[in-house]
Amino acid sequence: MLLTGPEGLKALTTAYETGRALPGFVAYNLETVQGIVAAAEAHRAHRAHPDHPVLIQAGSSAFKHAGRDALMRLALDAAAASPAPLGVHLDHSRDLDEITACLRAGYTSVMVDGSHLPFAENIALTREAVHRARDHGAWVEAELGALAGDEDVSTNATAAPTAMTDPSQAAEFVAATGVDALAVAVGNVHGFTTHPVRLDLDRLAAIHSAVPVPLVLHGASGLPENQLLAALPRGVAKINVNAELRRAYLQAVSTRLPTALPGSDVVSLWSAGRDAVKETATLIITQLAEPSPFTSNPSTSSPSTFSPSGV
């Protein structure tokens, strides 16, 4: 079931008010879309919160691989045909024409990424994206601050303190743009890293106090699980998931490859990757659909991380 924009915004607001988070899963191709949808359906069939929505994030970086129209239609059609509640979200777009095309196609929500721009220019870009989205009933996520790392390839990047989101600037930004959700930089990094990543939970709490909209956490891969869950009562109501799905897909394909090669059995490779995406996404949905057990800063000594084994 493809959510409308207002339904998607209501789901985001409900998650925000109840200490939960919507998972936004990045999709690159047919198998990742199918795996995400299958995970949403599995959660709907067996869990205590069966109507907790899931976002298929078919966005700018994936368009470079699959083509915008093809991946856009694939994600929208898969969501519409499913009994599970699904939104389709444009992730990390810097292009207003691309945003408009996705809105016209029926996207539930869009992320306009002006984080690379000077503050005033980020406001101007975001305000225009919000204006266009309102005409289509969609909600808008924007970003303030900068994350190290790459959306599509895990690196050994570390977060630079100077790139973190400033709470007072966040308040000004939200007021000036009318954005519905704000992605923040509080020590999070795109992709897996070899060095420990810790969220600045005090900064996150200050941002939460300063702005009246849900917050979004990109770069949650490898975070200690207790820190991730501690982010939810501090205003985070959407968690982007990418590296976990990529790793699960590639590991499954790698394991299957030796037996698939002799018979050129590409179908078994694709199926293995799709099943791995489903399994990983199902575990993550289950975790984020439950209210966070944390209401104050947790100990940072827990070895658990936000990964399939810990979700």
Side-chain angles (χ1 to χ4, degrees), residues 40-63:
E41 292 173 355
H43 177 81
R44 180 176 182 270
H46 301 294
R47 301 298 175 181
H49 302 284
D51 295 324
H52 191 68
V54 169
L55 302 179
I56 304 171
Q57 299 200 157
S60 292
S61 63
F63 290 160

Side-chain angles (χ1 to χ4, degrees), residues 135-291:
D135 291 339
H136 296 273
W139 61 270
V140 180
E141 171 190 344
E143 185 168 19
L144 187 63
L147 270 64
D150 189 292
E151 299 167 50
D152 303 306
V153 180
S154 292
T155 68
N156 293 332
T158 56
T162 55
M164 291 190 184
T165 305
D166 177 78
S168 60
Q169 198 174 54
E172 180 183 352
F173 182 86
V174 170
T177 60
V179 73
D180 301 295
L182 183 66
V184 295
V186 288
N188 38 324
V189 177
H190 279 301
F192 291 109
T193 69
T194 57
H195 304 290
V197 176
R198 292 286 184 266
L199 298 181
D200 185 340
L201 293 173
D202 290 338
R203 179 181 295 269
L204 183 60
I207 297 168
H208 176 37
S209 295
V211 304
V213 299
L215 305 179
V216 180
L217 192 66
H218 294 228
S221 306
L223 280 175
E225 184 181 359
N226 58 350
Q227 284 217 335
L228 181 80
L229 294 179
L232 305 191
R234 290 166 175 80
V236 172
K238 176 175 174 280
I239 303 284
N240 278 23
V241 181
N242 187 349
E244 287 85 2
L245 300 193
R246 297 199 318 263
R247 175 176 286 184
Y249 185 94
L250 290 172
Q251 287 178 339
V253 167
S254 177
T255 298
R256 179 61 181 157
L257 186 59
T259 56
L261 272 176
S264 301
D265 184 5
V266 294
V267 172
S268 69
L269 285 183
W270 296 333
S271 296
R274 179 180 58 204
D275 292 346
V277 168
K278 174 189 174 183
E279 180 181 357
T280 302
T282 300
L283 293 169
I284 294 170
I285 296 167
T286 300
Q287 183 183 41
L288 297 182
E290 296 294 330

